[in-house]
Amino acid sequence: ETALIRLAIAVAKLHDLRGHHRDLYLNHVYVDPVRDDPLVAIIDWDRFGRHHLAFGRWVVKDLAALLSSIPGGTVSERERVDFLVRYLGMRGRGVDRGSRRFARRVARKAARLSAHAPRTPVGEAARPRPLRAEKAGRGPAWGHGVRP
């Protein structure tokens, strides 16, 4: 199984327990890079919450956050569909009219999340930028004129 399929299983188990993550973006997923069979873990459990609806708004938000945080071009449309099919299968749902409606809700929410500026920078935006003193060649700047 791929790491993405293992993630679908982990998220389905979380949701079966009526739990949700609040910030279930890929930066809150750990995949062990050494193992041949991918070990997938959801991290940052401070953001864990409880909900009462099997396919309610928190479930949609969790799946949409994952979908919107996947960097473009790294996961094919087929792999995204396989993720959702495995997720629904683990939750006891097949692919039917209701699951297609659910998938559209997730896709719409993912589009809205993608349109937002991220609170936590990702990719190139997350790289530390040198402060003005460093750019001017005066050594490291520790901010606000205070040195440790």
Side-chain angles (χ1 to χ4, degrees), residues 2 9-10 16 22 31 36-37 47 81 95 116 135 147:
T2 66
I9 294 167
D16 277 344
R22 287 194 182 104
V31 178
D36 290 333
D37 60 327
R47 306 297 296 152
V81 169
V95 178
H116 293 175
K135 287 181 182 177
R147 292 187 180 262

Side-chain angles (χ1 to χ4, degrees), residues 4-5 67 70-85 103-104 106-107:
L4 198 59
I5 293 300
L67 180 63
I70 297 172
T74 58
V75 175
S76 71
E77 191 63 31
R78 177 78 243 163
E79 290 169 313
R80 290 172 190 249
V81 169
D82 289 346
F83 172 91
L84 188 59
V85 167
R104 284 192 299 273
V106 171

Side-chain angles (χ1 to χ4, degrees), residues 19-42:
H20 63 272
H21 191 278
R22 287 194 182 104
D23 285 321
L24 191 55
Y25 298 96
L26 282 183
N27 59 338
H28 290 130
V29 173
Y30 173 78
V31 178
D32 187 339
V34 178
R35 295 174 54 130
D36 290 333
D37 60 327
L39 171 70
V40 174
I42 299 170

